[in-house]
Amino acid sequence: QLQLQESGPGLVKPSETLSLTCTVSGDSISSGPYYWVWIRQPPGKGLEWIASIYHSGSSHYNPSHKGRVTISIDTAKNQFSLRLSSVTAADTAVYYCARDRRITGTTHWGQGTLVIVSS
Amino acid sequence: EIVLTQSPATLSLSPGERATLSCRASQSVSSFLAWYQHKPGQAPRLLISDASNRATGIPARFSGRGSGTDFTLTISRLEPEDFAVYYCQQRSNWPGFTFGPGTKVDLK
């Protein structure tokens, strides 16, 4: 059974870099035609796609983050990661990692991790 | 950028009633649209992919239809566990995608 688990600091200071890791278990991150994605939900707001990555390293980003985002993948560790630089209070959100496939949608999600940006 | 609009913002209904949720895209997304259910403190759950295909394990009371710019999610008879927020997601520029603002289905 596929499981995803987010990990990383729950508190980040303004202007610093937010770093999160998603650990995948129950399947190889290199298997299948899947993209591995990061999605977030600010408090009281809706869902926002941040970035997607394939096991080959091919990545895609939401242009609204203006180059602040980097997604990476480590197939040896069965993990993928998110880095968001120059954070502000607007980056406070629950961050989800998930698996996505073209024809079936975003089928598997982590439970989410709350990241607060505050000094 | 394709913008999704969902209506109504809130739908107040009783168990056993029919829920009809709308999602409209600012330009055609063909059938590349999915629906998700989201409850507080939980991860979103995929209900429908490609506008009308129920995901694995999703009850038959959930159905989706539409293509182009107008889509509908219908819950034929609301169960107590169906009260949640529902998001549509357009996937026409996959592997990128965008979500609508959500419709909250709450207890009347």
Side-chain angles (χ1 to χ4, degrees):
Chain A
Q1 178 180 345
L2 180 71
Q3 292 187 317
L4 298 93
Q5 180 66 59
E6 305 88 353
S7 59
L11 181 64
V12 181
K13 289 182 169 53
S15 79
E16 295 190 344
T17 296
L18 178 162
S19 295
L20 295 173
T21 295
C22 182
T23 300
V24 177
S25 59
D27 197 4
S28 169
I29 205 168
S30 299
S31 71
Y34 304 112
Y35 267 80
W36 303 92
V37 305
W38 287 98
I39 292 163
R40 71 180 184 181
Q41 183 178 36
K45 297 188 177 182
L47 300 167
E48 180 189 33
W49 169 69
I50 305 170
S52 300
I53 192 165
Y54 196 60
H55 60 74
S56 64
S58 172
S59 57
H60 301 265
Y61 296 97
N62 185 331
S64 69
H65 298 296
K66 300 178 182 177
R68 295 193 297 133
V69 177
T70 303
I71 189 171
S72 59
I73 194 163
D74 186 333
T75 55
K77 292 183 178 179
N78 231 35
Q79 295 176 331
F80 63 106
S81 299
L82 176 74
R83 287 173 58 86
L84 179 64
S85 63
S86 305
V87 297
T88 69
D91 295 308
T92 293
V94 174
Y95 286 77
Y96 296 98
C97 61
R99 189 177 82 171
D100 188 274
R101 185 179 178 187
R102 178 68 182 90
I103 60 172
T104 56
T106 317
T107 55
H108 295 80
W109 299 65
Q111 279 302 300
T113 187
L114 174 63
V115 179
I116 296 172
V117 178
S118 175
S119 55
Chain B
E1 179 189 342
I2 298 174
V3 177
L4 298 177
T5 304
Q6 290 188 244
S7 60
T10 304
L11 195 53
S12 297
L13 295 168
S14 300
E17 289 192 295
R18 182 184 188 89
T20 303
L21 289 67
S22 175
C23 177
R24 177 165 289 180
S26 59
Q27 63 189 77
S28 177
V29 298
S30 185
S31 63
F32 301 130
L33 189 110
W35 290 93
Y36 298 81
Q37 178 191 68
H38 195 194
K39 297 179 181 179
Q42 297 185 18
R45 176 192 183 197
L46 174 67
L47 300 174
I48 302 286
S49 64
D50 278 355
S52 60
N53 297 328
R54 263 192 310 277
T56 303
I58 300 304
R61 64 181 181 273
F62 291 93
S63 63
R65 61 180 298 172
S67 66
T69 60
D70 291 300
F71 300 86
T72 301
L73 174 70
T74 300
I75 310 171
S76 59
R77 288 179 57 87
L78 280 165
E79 298 288 340
E81 62 268 26
D82 297 337
F83 292 93
V85 179
Y86 292 82
Y87 293 96
C88 57
Q89 176 201 51
Q90 71 80 18
R91 304 168 56 78
S92 68
N93 53 340
W94 186 87
F97 42 79
T98 54
F99 293 93
T103 289
K104 183 178 183 180
V105 178
D106 67 10
L107 196 56
K108 189 174 184 180

